[in-house]
Coordinates of all heavy atoms in Angstrom, one line a residue:
M52 N 102.6 109.3 66.4 CA 101.2 109.6 66.7 C 101.2 110.5 68.0 O 100.2 111.2 68.2 CB 100.5 108.3 67.0 CG 99.0 108.6 67.3 SD 97.9 107.5 66.3 CE 96.4 107.7 67.3
S53 N 102.2 110.4 68.9 CA 102.2 111.2 70.1 C 102.8 112.5 69.8 O 103.1 113.2 70.8 CB 102.9 110.5 71.2 OG 104.2 110.3 70.9
A54 N 103.0 112.9 68.6 CA 103.5 114.2 68.2 C 102.4 115.0 67.4 O 101.6 114.3 66.8 CB 104.8 114.1 67.4
G55 N 102.4 116.3 67.5 CA 101.5 117.0 66.7 C 100.2 117.4 67.5 O 100.2 117.4 68.7
M56 N 99.1 117.6 66.7 CA 97.9 118.1 67.3 C 97.2 117.1 68.3 O 96.6 117.5 69.3 CB 96.9 118.4 66.2 CG 96.9 119.8 65.7 SD 95.8 120.2 64.4 CE 94.3 119.5 64.9
L57 N 97.4 115.9 68.1 CA 96.7 114.9 68.9 C 97.6 114.4 70.0 O 97.3 113.4 70.7 CB 96.3 113.7 68.0 CG 95.2 114.0 67.0 CD1 95.0 112.7 66.1 CD2 94.0 114.5 67.6
C58 N 98.7 115.0 70.2 CA 99.7 114.6 71.2 C 99.1 114.3 72.6 O 99.2 113.2 73.0 CB 100.8 115.6 71.3 SG 102.0 115.3 72.5
K59 N 98.6 115.3 73.2 CA 98.1 115.1 74.6 C 96.9 114.1 74.6 O 96.9 113.3 75.5 CB 97.6 116.5 75.2 CG 98.7 117.3 75.8 CD 98.2 118.2 76.8 CE 99.3 118.3 77.9 NZ 98.8 118.8 79.1
H60 N 96.0 114.2 73.7 CA 94.9 113.3 73.6 C 95.4 111.8 73.5 O 94.9 111.0 74.2 CB 94.0 113.6 72.5 CG 92.9 112.6 72.3 ND1 91.8 112.6 73.2 CD2 92.7 111.6 71.4 CE1 91.0 111.7 72.8 NE2 91.5 111.0 71.8
T61 N 96.4 111.6 72.7 CA 96.9 110.3 72.5 C 97.5 109.7 73.8 O 97.3 108.6 74.2 CB 97.9 110.3 71.3 OG1 97.3 110.8 70.2 CG2 98.4 108.9 71.1
L62 N 98.3 110.6 74.4 CA 99.0 110.2 75.7 C 98.0 109.9 76.8 O 98.1 109.0 77.5 CB 100.0 111.2 76.1 CG 101.2 111.3 75.1 CD1 102.1 112.5 75.6 CD2 102.0 110.1 75.0
D63 N 96.9 110.8 76.9 CA 95.9 110.6 77.9 C 95.1 109.3 77.6 O 94.8 108.6 78.5 CB 94.9 111.8 77.8 CG 95.4 113.0 78.5 OD1 96.5 112.9 79.1 OD2 94.8 114.1 78.3
A64 N 94.8 109.0 76.3 CA 94.1 107.8 76.0 C 95.0 106.6 76.3 O 94.5 105.6 76.8 CB 93.8 107.8 74.5
G65 N 96.3 106.7 76.1 CA 97.2 105.6 76.4 C 97.2 105.3 77.9 O 97.2 104.2 78.4
F66 N 97.3 106.4 78.7 CA 97.3 106.2 80.2 C 96.0 105.7 80.7 O 95.9 104.9 81.6 CB 97.7 107.5 80.9 CG 98.0 107.4 82.3 CD1 99.1 106.7 82.7 CD2 97.2 107.9 83.3 CE1 99.4 106.5 84.0 CE2 97.5 107.7 84.6 CZ 98.6 107.0 85.0
G67 N 94.9 106.2 80.1 CA 93.6 105.7 80.5 C 93.4 104.2 80.2 O 92.9 103.5 81.0
Q68 N 94.0 103.8 79.1 CA 93.9 102.3 78.7 C 94.7 101.5 79.7 O 94.4 100.4 80.1 CB 94.4 102.1 77.3 CG 94.1 100.7 76.8 CD 94.3 100.6 75.3 OE1 94.9 101.5 74.7 NE2 93.9 99.6 74.7
F69 N 95.9 102.1 80.1 CA 96.7 101.4 81.1 C 96.0 101.2 82.4 O 96.0 100.2 83.0 CB 98.0 102.2 81.3 CG 98.8 101.8 82.5 CD1 99.5 100.6 82.5 CD2 98.8 102.5 83.7 CE1 100.2 100.1 83.7 CE2 99.5 102.1 84.8 CZ 100.2 100.9 84.8
L70 N 95.3 102.3 82.8 CA 94.5 102.2 84.1 C 93.4 101.1 84.0 O 93.1 100.4 84.9 CB 93.9 103.5 84.5 CG 94.9 104.6 84.9 CD1 94.2 105.9 85.2 CD2 95.7 104.1 86.2
N71 N 92.8 101.1 82.8 CA 91.7 100.0 82.6 C 92.3 98.6 82.7 O 91.7 97.8 83.3 CB 91.0 100.2 81.2 CG 90.1 101.4 81.2 OD1 89.6 101.9 82.2 ND2 89.9 102.0 80.0
I72 N 93.4 98.4 82.1 CA 94.1 97.1 82.1 C 94.5 96.8 83.6 O 94.3 95.7 84.0 CB 95.3 97.1 81.2 CG1 94.8 97.1 79.7 CG2 96.1 95.8 81.4 CD1 95.9 97.4 78.7
L73 N 95.1 97.8 84.2 CA 95.5 97.6 85.6 C 94.3 97.2 86.5 O 94.3 96.3 87.3 CB 96.2 98.8 86.2 CG 96.8 98.7 87.5 CD1 97.9 97.7 87.6 CD2 97.4 100.1 87.9
N74 N 93.2 97.9 86.3 CA 91.9 97.6 87.0 C 91.5 96.2 86.8 O 91.1 95.5 87.7 CB 90.9 98.6 86.6 CG 89.6 98.5 87.5 OD1 89.6 98.0 88.5 ND2 88.5 99.1 87.0
H75 N 91.6 95.8 85.5 CA 91.1 94.4 85.2 C 92.1 93.4 85.8 O 91.6 92.4 86.4 CB 91.1 94.2 83.7 CG 90.7 92.9 83.2 ND1 89.4 92.4 83.3 CD2 91.4 91.9 82.7 CE1 89.4 91.2 82.9 NE2 90.6 90.8 82.5
V76 N 93.4 93.6 85.8 CA 94.3 92.6 86.3 C 94.1 92.5 87.9 O 94.1 91.5 88.4 CB 95.8 93.0 86.0 CG1 96.8 92.2 86.8 CG2 96.0 92.9 84.5
C77 N 93.9 93.7 88.5 CA 93.7 93.7 89.9 C 92.4 92.9 90.3 O 92.3 92.1 91.2 CB 93.6 95.1 90.5 SG 95.1 96.0 90.5
F78 N 91.3 93.1 89.5 CA 90.1 92.4 89.7 C 90.3 90.9 89.6 O 89.9 90.1 90.4 CB 89.0 92.9 88.6 CG 87.8 92.0 88.6 CD1 86.9 92.1 89.6 CD2 87.6 91.1 87.6 CE1 85.7 91.3 89.6 CE2 86.5 90.3 87.5 CZ 85.5 90.4 88.6
K79 N 91.0 90.5 88.5 CA 91.3 89.0 88.3 C 92.1 88.4 89.4 O 91.9 87.2 89.7 CB 92.1 88.8 87.0 CG 91.2 89.1 85.7 CD 90.1 88.1 85.6 CE 90.3 87.3 84.3 NZ 89.2 86.3 84.1
R80 N 93.0 89.2 90.0 CA 93.9 88.6 91.0 C 93.3 88.9 92.4 O 94.0 88.7 93.4 CB 95.3 89.2 90.9 CG 95.9 88.8 89.6 CD 97.3 89.1 89.5 NE 97.8 88.6 88.2 CZ 99.1 88.5 87.9 NH1 100.0 88.9 88.8 NH2 99.5 88.0 86.8
G81 N 92.2 89.5 92.6 CA 91.6 89.8 93.9 C 92.3 90.9 94.6 O 92.2 91.0 95.8
A82 N 93.0 91.8 93.9 CA 93.6 93.0 94.5 C 92.7 94.2 94.4 O 91.9 94.3 93.5 CB 94.9 93.2 93.8
Y83 N 92.8 95.1 95.4 CA 92.0 96.3 95.4 C 92.7 97.3 94.5 O 93.9 97.5 94.4 CB 92.0 96.8 96.8 CG 91.2 98.1 97.0 CD1 89.8 98.0 97.0 CD2 91.8 99.3 97.1 CE1 89.0 99.2 97.1 CE2 91.0 100.5 97.2 CZ 89.7 100.4 97.2 OH 88.9 101.5 97.3
F84 N 91.8 98.0 93.7 CA 92.3 99.0 92.8 C 91.4 100.3 93.0 O 90.2 100.2 93.1 CB 92.1 98.5 91.4 CG 92.4 99.6 90.3 CD1 93.7 99.9 89.9 CD2 91.4 100.4 89.8 CE1 94.0 100.9 89.0 CE2 91.6 101.4 88.9 CZ 93.0 101.6 88.5
A85 N 92.1 101.4 93.1 CA 91.3 102.7 93.2 C 92.3 103.8 92.7 O 93.5 103.7 92.9 CB 90.9 103.0 94.6
K86 N 91.6 104.8 92.2 CA 92.4 106.0 91.8 C 92.3 107.0 92.9 O 91.3 107.0 93.6 CB 91.8 106.6 90.5 CG 91.9 105.8 89.3 CD 91.3 106.6 88.1 CE 90.8 105.6 87.1 NZ 90.1 106.4 86.0
V87 N 93.4 107.7 93.1 CA 93.4 108.8 94.1 C 93.5 110.1 93.4 O 94.0 110.2 92.3 CB 94.5 108.6 95.2 CG1 94.3 107.3 95.9 CG2 95.9 108.7 94.6
D88 N 93.1 111.2 94.1 CA 93.2 112.5 93.6 C 94.7 112.9 93.5 O 95.3 113.0 94.6 CB 92.4 113.5 94.4 CG 92.4 114.9 93.9 OD1 92.9 115.1 92.7 OD2 92.0 115.8 94.6
A89 N 95.2 113.2 92.4 CA 96.6 113.5 92.2 C 96.9 115.0 92.3 O 98.0 115.5 92.3 CB 97.2 113.0 90.9
N90 N 95.8 115.8 92.5 CA 96.0 117.3 92.6 C 96.7 117.7 93.8 O 96.4 117.2 94.9 CB 94.6 118.0 92.5 CG 94.0 117.9 91.2 OD1 94.7 117.9 90.2 ND2 92.7 117.8 91.1
G91 N 97.7 118.5 93.7 CA 98.4 119.1 94.8 C 99.4 118.2 95.5 O 99.9 118.5 96.5
T92 N 99.7 117.0 94.8 CA 100.6 116.1 95.5 C 102.0 116.7 95.6 O 102.8 116.3 96.5 CB 100.7 114.8 94.8 OG1 100.9 115.0 93.4 CG2 99.4 114.0 94.9
S93 N 102.4 117.5 94.7 CA 103.8 118.1 94.8 C 103.8 119.3 95.7 O 104.8 119.9 95.9 CB 104.3 118.5 93.4 OG 103.5 119.5 92.8
Q94 N 102.6 119.7 96.2 CA 102.5 120.9 97.1 C 102.2 120.5 98.5 O 102.0 121.4 99.3 CB 101.4 121.8 96.6 CG 101.6 122.3 95.1 CD 100.4 123.0 94.6 OE1 99.6 123.6 95.3 NE2 100.2 122.9 93.3
T95 N 102.3 119.3 98.8 CA 102.0 118.8 100.2 C 103.2 118.0 100.7 O 103.8 117.2 100.0 CB 100.7 117.9 100.1 OG1 99.7 118.5 99.5 CG2 100.3 117.4 101.5
C96 N 103.5 118.3 102.0 CA 104.6 117.6 102.6 C 104.1 116.2 103.1 O 103.1 116.1 103.8 CB 105.1 118.3 103.8 SG 106.4 117.4 104.7
P97 N 104.8 115.1 102.7 CA 104.3 113.8 103.0 C 104.5 113.5 104.5 O 103.8 112.6 105.1 CB 105.1 112.8 102.2 CG 106.3 113.6 101.8 CD 105.9 115.0 101.7
R98 N 105.3 114.2 105.2 CA 105.6 113.9 106.6 C 104.6 114.6 107.5 O 104.0 114.1 108.4 CB 107.0 114.3 107.0 CG 107.3 113.9 108.5 CD 108.5 114.6 109.0 NE 109.7 113.8 108.8 CZ 110.9 114.2 109.2 NH1 111.1 115.4 109.7 NH2 111.9 113.4 109.0
C99 N 104.4 116.0 107.3 CA 103.5 116.7 108.2 C 102.2 117.2 107.5 O 101.5 117.9 108.2 CB 104.3 117.9 108.8 SG 104.7 119.2 107.6
Q100 N 102.0 116.9 106.3 CA 100.8 117.3 105.5 C 100.7 118.8 105.3 O 99.6 119.3 105.0 CB 99.6 116.7 106.2 CG 99.6 115.2 106.4 CD 99.8 114.4 105.2 OE1 99.2 114.7 104.2 NE2 100.7 113.5 105.2
T101 N 101.7 119.6 105.6 CA 101.7 121.0 105.4 C 101.6 121.3 103.9 O 102.3 120.7 103.1 CB 102.9 121.7 106.0 OG1 102.9 121.4 107.4 CG2 102.9 123.2 105.8
H102 N 100.8 122.3 103.5 CA 100.7 122.8 102.2 C 102.0 123.6 101.9 O 102.1 124.7 102.6 CB 99.4 123.5 101.9 CG 99.3 124.0 100.5 ND1 98.9 123.1 99.5 CD2 99.5 125.1 99.9 CE1 98.8 123.8 98.3 NE2 99.2 125.0 98.5
T103 N 102.9 123.2 101.1 CA 104.1 124.0 100.9 C 104.1 124.9 99.8 O 105.1 125.6 99.5 CB 105.3 123.0 100.7 OG1 105.0 122.1 99.6 CG2 105.5 122.1 102.0
G104 N 103.0 125.0 99.0 CA 102.9 126.0 97.9 C 103.5 125.4 96.6 O 104.1 124.3 96.6
K105 N 103.2 126.1 95.5 CA 103.6 125.6 94.2 C 105.1 125.6 94.1 O 105.8 126.5 94.6 CB 103.0 126.4 93.1 CG 101.6 126.1 92.8 CD 101.2 126.6 91.4 CE 99.9 126.0 91.0 NZ 99.8 125.8 89.6
K106 N 105.6 124.6 93.4 CA 107.0 124.6 93.0 C 107.2 124.8 91.5 O 106.3 124.3 90.8 CB 107.6 123.2 93.4 CG 107.6 122.8 94.8 CD 108.2 121.4 95.0 CE 108.3 121.0 96.4 NZ 107.0 120.5 96.9
E107 N 108.3 125.4 91.1 CA 108.6 125.4 89.7 C 109.0 124.1 89.3 O 109.5 123.3 90.1 CB 109.7 126.4 89.5 CG 109.3 127.9 89.7 CD 108.2 128.4 88.8 OE1 108.2 128.0 87.6 OE2 107.4 129.2 89.2
L108 N 108.8 123.7 88.0 CA 109.2 122.4 87.5 C 110.7 122.2 87.7 O 111.2 121.1 87.9 CB 108.8 122.3 86.1 CG 108.7 120.8 85.5 CD1 107.8 120.0 86.4 CD2 108.3 120.8 84.1
S109 N 111.5 123.3 87.7 CA 112.9 123.1 87.8 C 113.3 122.8 89.3 O 114.5 122.4 89.5 CB 113.6 124.4 87.4 OG 113.2 125.5 88.2
E110 N 112.4 123.0 90.2 CA 112.7 122.7 91.6 C 112.6 121.2 91.8 O 111.4 120.7 91.8 CB 111.8 123.4 92.6 CG 112.0 124.9 92.8 CD 111.0 125.4 93.8 OE1 111.0 125.0 95.0 OE2 110.2 126.3 93.4
R111 N 113.6 120.5 92.0 CA 113.6 119.0 92.0 C 113.6 118.5 93.4 O 113.6 117.2 93.6 CB 114.8 118.4 91.2 CG 114.8 118.9 89.7 CD 113.5 118.8 88.9 NE 112.9 117.5 89.0 CZ 111.7 117.2 88.7 NH1 110.9 118.2 88.3 NH2 111.2 116.0 88.7
V112 N 113.7 119.3 94.4 CA 113.8 118.8 95.8 C 112.7 119.4 96.6 O 112.3 120.6 96.5 CB 115.2 119.3 96.4 CG1 115.2 118.9 97.9 CG2 116.3 118.7 95.7
H113 N 112.0 118.5 97.3 CA 111.0 118.9 98.3 C 111.7 119.2 99.6 O 112.4 118.3 100.2 CB 110.0 117.8 98.5 CG 109.1 118.0 99.7 ND1 108.0 118.8 99.6 CD2 109.1 117.6 100.9 CE1 107.4 118.8 100.8 NE2 108.1 118.1 101.6
K114 N 111.5 120.4 100.1 CA 112.1 120.8 101.4 C 111.0 121.5 102.2 O 110.6 122.6 101.8 CB 113.3 121.6 101.3 CG 113.9 121.9 102.7 CD 115.3 122.5 102.6 CE 115.8 122.6 104.0 NZ 117.2 122.8 104.1
C115 N 110.5 120.9 103.3 CA 109.4 121.4 104.0 C 109.8 122.5 105.0 O 110.8 122.2 105.8 CB 108.7 120.3 104.8 SG 107.3 120.9 105.8
P116 N 109.2 123.7 104.9 CA 109.6 124.7 105.8 C 109.1 124.5 107.3 O 109.7 125.1 108.2 CB 108.9 126.0 105.2 CG 107.8 125.5 104.4 CD 108.2 124.1 103.9
E117 N 108.2 123.6 107.4 CA 107.6 123.3 108.8 C 108.4 122.2 109.5 O 108.9 122.4 110.6 CB 106.2 122.8 108.7 CG 105.2 123.9 108.2 CD 105.1 125.1 109.2 OE1 105.1 124.8 110.4 OE2 105.1 126.2 108.7
C118 N 108.6 121.1 108.9 CA 109.3 120.0 109.6 C 110.7 119.7 109.1 O 111.4 118.9 109.7 CB 108.4 118.7 109.5 SG 108.3 118.0 107.8
G119 N 111.1 120.3 108.0 CA 112.4 120.1 107.5 C 112.6 118.9 106.7 O 113.8 118.6 106.3
Y120 N 111.6 118.1 106.4 CA 111.7 116.9 105.6 C 112.2 117.3 104.2 O 111.7 118.2 103.5 CB 110.4 116.2 105.5 CG 110.4 114.9 104.7 CD1 111.4 113.9 105.0 CD2 109.5 114.6 103.7 CE1 111.4 112.7 104.3 CE2 109.5 113.4 103.0 CZ 110.5 112.5 103.3 OH 110.5 111.3 102.6
E121 N 113.2 116.6 103.7 CA 113.8 116.9 102.4 C 114.0 115.6 101.7 O 114.6 114.6 102.2 CB 115.2 117.6 102.6 CG 115.8 118.1 101.4 CD 117.1 118.9 101.6 OE1 117.2 119.5 102.7 OE2 117.9 119.0 100.7
T122 N 113.5 115.6 100.4 CA 113.7 114.4 99.6 C 113.4 114.9 98.1 O 113.1 116.0 97.9 CB 112.7 113.3 99.9 OG1 113.0 112.1 99.2 CG2 111.3 113.7 99.7
N123 N 113.6 114.0 97.2 CA 113.3 114.3 95.8 C 111.8 114.6 95.6 O 111.0 114.0 96.3 CB 113.7 113.0 95.0 CG 113.4 113.2 93.5 OD1 112.2 113.3 93.1 ND2 114.4 113.4 92.7
R124 N 111.6 115.6 94.8 CA 110.2 116.1 94.6 C 109.2 115.0 94.2 O 108.1 114.9 94.7 CB 110.3 117.2 93.6 CG 109.0 117.6 93.0 CD 109.2 118.2 91.6 NE 108.0 118.7 91.0 CZ 107.7 119.9 90.7 NH1 108.6 120.8 90.9 NH2 106.5 120.2 90.2
D125 N 109.7 114.2 93.2 CA 108.8 113.1 92.7 C 108.6 112.0 93.8 O 107.5 111.4 93.9 CB 109.4 112.5 91.5 CG 109.5 113.5 90.3 OD1 108.7 114.4 90.3 OD2 110.5 113.4 89.5
V126 N 109.6 111.8 94.6 CA 109.4 110.8 95.7 C 108.4 111.3 96.7 O 107.5 110.6 97.1 CB 110.8 110.5 96.4 CG1 110.6 109.7 97.6 CG2 111.7 109.8 95.4
A127 N 108.5 112.6 97.0 CA 107.6 113.2 98.0 C 106.1 113.1 97.4 O 105.2 112.7 98.2 CB 107.9 114.6 98.3
A128 N 106.0 113.4 96.1 CA 104.6 113.3 95.5 C 104.1 111.9 95.6 O 102.9 111.7 95.8 CB 104.7 113.9 94.1
A129 N 105.0 110.9 95.3 CA 104.6 109.5 95.3 C 104.2 109.1 96.7 O 103.2 108.3 96.9 CB 105.7 108.7 94.8
Q130 N 104.9 109.6 97.7 CA 104.5 109.3 99.1 C 103.2 109.9 99.5 O 102.4 109.2 100.2 CB 105.6 109.8 100.1 CG 106.9 109.0 99.9 CD 108.1 109.7 100.7 OE1 108.1 110.9 101.0 NE2 109.1 108.9 101.0
V131 N 102.9 111.1 99.0 CA 101.5 111.7 99.2 C 100.5 110.8 98.5 O 99.4 110.5 99.1 CB 101.5 113.1 98.7 CG1 100.1 113.7 98.8 CG2 102.4 114.0 99.6
V132 N 100.7 110.4 97.3 CA 99.7 109.5 96.6 C 99.5 108.2 97.4 O 98.4 107.8 97.5 CB 100.2 109.2 95.1 CG1 99.4 108.1 94.5 CG2 100.2 110.5 94.3
R133 N 100.6 107.6 97.9 CA 100.5 106.4 98.6 C 99.6 106.6 99.9 O 98.8 105.8 100.3 CB 101.8 105.8 99.0 CG 101.7 104.5 99.8 CD 103.0 103.8 99.8 NE 104.0 104.5 100.6 CZ 105.2 104.0 101.0 NH1 105.6 102.8 100.6 NH2 106.0 104.8 101.7
Q134 N 99.9 107.7 100.6 CA 99.1 108.0 101.8 C 97.7 108.2 101.5 O 96.8 107.8 102.2 CB 99.7 109.3 102.5 CG 101.0 109.1 103.2 CD 101.5 110.4 103.7 OE1 101.1 111.5 103.3 NE2 102.5 110.3 104.6
R135 N 97.4 108.9 100.4 CA 95.9 109.1 100.0 C 95.3 107.7 99.7 O 94.1 107.5 100.0 CB 95.9 110.0 98.8 CG 96.2 111.4 99.1 CD 96.1 112.3 97.9 NE 96.5 113.7 98.3 CZ 96.5 114.7 97.5 NH1 96.2 114.6 96.2 NH2 96.8 115.9 97.9
G136 N 96.1 106.8 99.1 CA 95.6 105.5 98.8 C 95.3 104.7 100.1 O 94.2 104.1 100.3
Y137 N 96.2 104.8 101.1 CA 96.0 104.2 102.4 C 94.8 104.8 103.1 O 94.0 104.1 103.7 CB 97.2 104.4 103.3 CG 98.4 103.4 103.0 CD1 99.7 103.8 103.2 CD2 98.1 102.1 102.7 CE1 100.7 102.9 102.9 CE2 99.2 101.2 102.4 CZ 100.5 101.6 102.6 OH 101.5 100.8 102.3
T138 N 94.7 106.1 103.0 CA 93.5 106.8 103.7 C 92.2 106.3 103.1 O 91.2 106.1 103.8 CB 93.7 108.3 103.6 OG1 94.9 108.7 104.1 CG2 92.6 109.0 104.3
A139 N 92.2 106.1 101.7 CA 91.0 105.7 101.0 C 90.5 104.3 101.5 O 89.3 104.1 101.5 CB 91.3 105.7 99.5
V140 N 91.4 103.5 101.9 CA 91.0 102.1 102.3 C 91.0 102.0 103.9 O 90.9 100.9 104.4 CB 91.9 101.0 101.7 CG1 91.7 101.0 100.2 CG2 93.3 101.2 102.1
G141 N 91.2 103.1 104.6 CA 91.0 103.1 106.0 C 92.3 102.8 106.8 O 92.2 102.6 108.0
H142 N 93.4 102.8 106.2 CA 94.7 102.6 106.9 C 95.1 104.0 107.5 O 94.8 105.0 106.9 CB 95.8 102.1 106.0 CG 95.6 100.6 105.7 ND1 96.3 99.6 106.4 CD2 94.9 100.0 104.7 CE1 95.9 98.5 105.9 NE2 95.1 98.7 104.9
I143 N 95.9 103.9 108.5 CA 96.5 105.1 109.1 C 97.7 105.5 108.2 O 98.5 104.7 107.8 CB 97.0 104.8 110.5 CG1 95.8 104.5 111.4 CG2 97.7 106.0 111.1 CD1 96.1 104.0 112.8
A144 N 97.7 106.8 108.0 CA 98.8 107.4 107.1 C 100.1 107.1 107.8 O 100.3 107.2 109.0 CB 98.6 108.8 106.9
V145 N 101.2 106.9 107.0 CA 102.5 106.6 107.5 C 103.3 107.9 107.4 O 103.3 108.6 106.5 CB 103.2 105.5 106.6 CG1 104.6 105.2 107.1 CG2 102.3 104.3 106.6
N146 N 104.1 108.1 108.5 CA 105.0 109.3 108.4 C 106.3 108.8 107.7 O 106.8 107.7 107.9 CB 105.4 109.7 109.8 CG 104.2 110.6 110.4 OD1 103.4 111.1 109.7 ND2 104.2 110.7 111.7
F147 N 106.9 109.7 106.9 CA 108.1 109.4 106.2 C 109.2 110.2 106.7 O 109.0 111.3 107.3 CB 107.9 109.7 104.7 CG 106.8 108.8 104.1 CD1 105.5 109.3 104.0 CD2 107.2 107.6 103.7 CE1 104.6 108.5 103.5 CE2 106.2 106.8 103.1 CZ 104.9 107.2 103.0
G148 N 110.4 109.8 106.4 CA 111.6 110.5 106.7 C 112.0 110.5 108.2 O 112.8 111.3 108.7
E149 N 111.4 109.5 109.0 CA 111.8 109.4 110.4 C 113.2 108.8 110.5 O 113.5 107.8 109.8 CB 110.8 108.5 111.1 CG 109.4 109.0 111.0 CD 109.1 110.1 112.0 OE1 109.6 110.0 113.1 OE2 108.3 111.0 111.6
G150 N 114.0 109.3 111.3 CA 115.3 108.8 111.6 C 116.3 108.9 110.5 O 116.5 108.7 109.5
Ligands
ZN161 ZN1 106.6 118.9 106.5

């Protein structure tokens, strides 16, 4: 079902259902749930918040030209998502890659 004309729609529907279930489970357990804007997460440095520009999909390493922070591209994007989540609930953003 995830192949062919309905491929993307099916996968989007599956992910949307996952988010609905996650929202429900968080509600039942008293945990906070919120979505964050995922746009540009691979183009932002999680340490210094500098916009680093678009990366090709083949570029698997995030290397910031400003602060020199270097890590896996997906890890950097996940750190940006986490910071946006912290910011959404009023926590101070955490710097990564120290030491
Ligand atoms: Zn940086």
Side-chain angles (χ1 to χ4, degrees):
M52 183 133 161
S53 64
M56 269 177 50
L57 297 176
C58 176
K59 276 207 146 196
H60 175 73
T61 303
L62 294 175
D63 285 347
F66 192 67
Q68 191 168 14
F69 167 72
L70 290 176
N71 285 338
I72 292 168
L73 186 61
N74 188 17
H75 179 71
V76 169
C77 288
F78 170 75
K79 288 292 243 182
R80 297 188 176 195
Y83 181 77
F84 172 86
K86 296 183 203 173
V87 299
D88 182 12
N90 288 328
T92 51
S93 65
Q94 302 169 28
T95 305
C96 176
R98 186 196 266 178
C99 69
Q100 306 301 315
T101 299
H102 184 80
T103 57
K105 276 198 167 212
K106 296 179 181 79
E107 292 297 323
L108 198 56
S109 61
E110 284 181 64
R111 303 310 306 164
V112 174
H113 166 83
K114 183 165 185 167
C115 179
E117 293 296 319
C118 69
Y120 182 51
E121 189 173 333
T122 188
N123 180 287
R124 166 204 181 119
D125 297 330
V126 170
Q130 289 170 338
V131 172
V132 168
R133 181 166 67 173
Q134 286 175 345
R135 289 181 182 179
Y137 279 145
T138 303
V140 294
H142 284 265
I143 296 169
V145 179
N146 283 339
F147 295 94
E149 304 278 323

